[in-house]
Amino acid sequence: MTDNTAQPRPLDGITVVSLEHAIAAPFCTRQLADLGARVIKVERPGSGDFARGYDQRVKGLASHFVWTNRSKESLSLDLKQPEAEGLLDSLLAGADVLVQNLAPGAAARMGLSFEALHERFPRLIVCDISGYGEGGPYERKKAYDLLIQSEGGFVSVTGGPEPEQMAKAGCSIADIAAGMYAYSGILSALLLRGRTGLGSRIDISMLESLVEWMGYPLYYAFEGAEPPPRAGAAHSTIYPYGPFPAGDGGTVMLGLQNEREWAAFCDKVLELPELATDERFGANFKRSANREALRQIIVERFARLSVAQVIERLEQAQIANARVNDMQGVWQHPQLAARDAWRQVDSPAGRLPALLPPARNSAYAPRMDAVPALGQHSAAILAELGLSPQGIEQLQARGVI
């Protein structure tokens, strides 16, 4: 593997100031830091980003916080105190991007609307992340990930068939979607500024981000048509496609896409070649309609086999398959190990494993620095802004930082 650790990164020299908490904005800015940006995370003195307190699962640190905050500098600053305004202004004067996901309207009340900032800092890019976006009847409605999963229709198509079996995603997908669109939006705004010389505003709605991801079920239910049924971990309209138990107590995930694969599945996996011509299962829509009968046959055949044996047969038949890993299985995944996907980063709790950013680039190594302690960089950042050690101590004494 080529040593590219000394090569320039795409966002080297770009400074991002972030008034962020929870997941959407921190996930966005961490990815900007991966590309070399300097990210100054402004946090409330004493408590900081409230995601720091979500749990203590990572050697006393919060799992969400460790995931979304490496490679950042933490500046503790009480934005409600008069001195904070001048300090934040000095920071923004040297910044390229401001990211914020404060409560709706909070940034504007602090004089941090794009319109107000653009007059003073015309090259500054401002990214506002909120639950529902600017305008409309939901503008000031509280928005948490589960609530957006519900409003955006995700929960209605996820889980089992009964109403009480509706399910949310096991990770914060609405936050992740918004963070990804904020990240790509900022990259495009930087490209645009390179052509125009001017900053622009990016308005990110968690609802719209998740609804974009719901395109398939939305169009499936076009003009009042029935939405795709909830099918648990199975596919709602393709069968067999989903989880099946093996005889050793494990679970195998498999998926068939066409009639050639169906014939191979019957012959090489189930060892029931005559099933391929069974009238009940002669096309995908028939298999889907008769899925209970077909599932019973599959489960009976798999009951004689271990997970490893089922997967071996599926591989021989060239049928797509996967193990259903728990979290420990993912930590130990042989493919991630073979691709050298893990690195070690520093943190207030010591060295921790961290996954390489998925978009690997041969020209440079991503930045993977420490997860910061609250206010760890306050003194150094304020010294850069011209404050004396005595001035910094006075701000600390007054609780400004």
Side-chain angles (χ1 to χ4, degrees), residues 60-386:
L61 304 177
S63 49
H64 279 92
F65 192 86
V66 168
W67 164 44
T68 59
N69 286 284
R70 68 170 182 251
S71 304
K72 300 180 185 180
E73 300 172 43
S74 174
L75 166 64
S76 57
L77 184 63
D78 185 352
L79 297 176
K80 294 182 179 179
Q81 297 212 31
E83 297 98 325
E85 182 177 351
L87 295 173
L88 188 57
D89 255 20
S90 297
L91 268 182
L92 294 176
D96 299 279
V97 182
L98 170 65
V99 179
Q100 70 85 17
N101 67 334
L102 302 176
R109 290 193 296 272
M110 295 164 56
L112 299 175
S113 68
F114 173 72
E115 292 74 18
L117 292 171
H118 191 61
E119 291 183 7
R120 290 179 288 152
F121 313 118
R123 289 178 54 81
L124 183 68
I125 294 162
V126 177
C127 180
D128 299 322
I129 305 174
S130 62
Y132 296 99
E134 184 178 21
Y138 282 40
E139 179 179 17
R140 296 188 179 275
K141 190 176 176 70
K142 285 189 175 181
Y144 304 135
D145 184 85
L146 171 59
L147 308 180
I148 298 298
Q149 288 192 39
S150 300
E151 289 281 355
F154 180 89
V155 171
S156 77
V157 298
T158 306
E162 301 303 321
E164 66 273 13
Q165 294 176 316
M166 286 191 297
K168 66 181 285 293
C171 61
S172 305
I173 60 161
D175 282 315
I176 294 167
M180 289 301 299
Y181 285 115
Y183 167 59
S184 60
I186 289 167
L187 295 179
S188 65
L190 287 167
L191 289 172
L192 182 63
R193 191 183 69 176
R195 296 169 60 184
T196 67
L198 295 173
S200 53
R201 184 197 179 210
I202 305 158
D203 176 12
I204 299 289
S205 154
M206 290 172 62
L207 177 66
E208 290 162 14
S209 299
L210 187 60
V211 169
E212 167 63 26
W213 287 11
M214 293 294 293
Y216 149 64
L218 275 170
Y219 283 114
Y220 190 92
F222 189 58
E223 293 187 331
E226 285 292 316
R230 291 191 299 273
H235 198 286
S236 58
T237 57
I238 303 174
Y239 202 82
Y241 196 126
F244 294 90
D248 60 359
T251 301
V252 176
M253 194 74 71
L254 62 90
L256 276 69
Q257 291 283 359
N258 53 54
E259 298 312 302
R260 178 190 58 78
E261 291 184 349
W262 166 241
F265 181 71
C266 294
D267 183 22
K268 296 181 179 180
V269 180
L270 299 182
E271 296 184 343
L272 294 172
E274 67 277 9
L275 197 65
T277 56
D278 190 309
E279 180 60 27
R280 295 172 296 171
F281 313 129
N284 174 67
F285 74 91
K286 294 182 179 181
R287 292 191 292 273
S288 188
N290 295 293
R291 64 175 59 201
E292 290 305 320
L294 181 52
R295 177 176 176 79
Q296 184 175 348
I297 295 170
I298 296 171
V299 170
E300 287 176 355
R301 302 299 285 184
F302 282 10
R304 310 171 189 182
L305 306 170
S306 67
V307 167
Q309 289 171 322
V310 173
I311 288 179
E312 182 180 6
R313 290 191 183 188
L314 290 165
E315 286 291 311
Q316 289 176 350
Q318 297 184 314
I319 302 296
N321 65 83
R323 296 176 183 271
V324 180
N325 284 315
D326 60 13
M327 292 303 97
Q328 295 310 310
V330 178
W331 278 116
Q332 298 161 11
H333 202 292
Q335 181 69 6
L336 297 176
R339 282 174 52 79
D340 191 26
W342 298 102
R343 295 292 181 270
Q344 294 287 316
V345 299
D346 287 321
S347 81
R351 301 279 280 173
L352 297 171
L355 186 71
L356 275 171
R360 301 188 187 190
N361 190 304
S362 62
Y364 66 91
R367 181 181 176 195
M368 298 189 71
D369 293 342
V371 178
L374 175 59
Q376 179 178 340
H377 305 90
S378 297
I381 292 169
L382 295 177
E384 288 182 37
L385 298 179

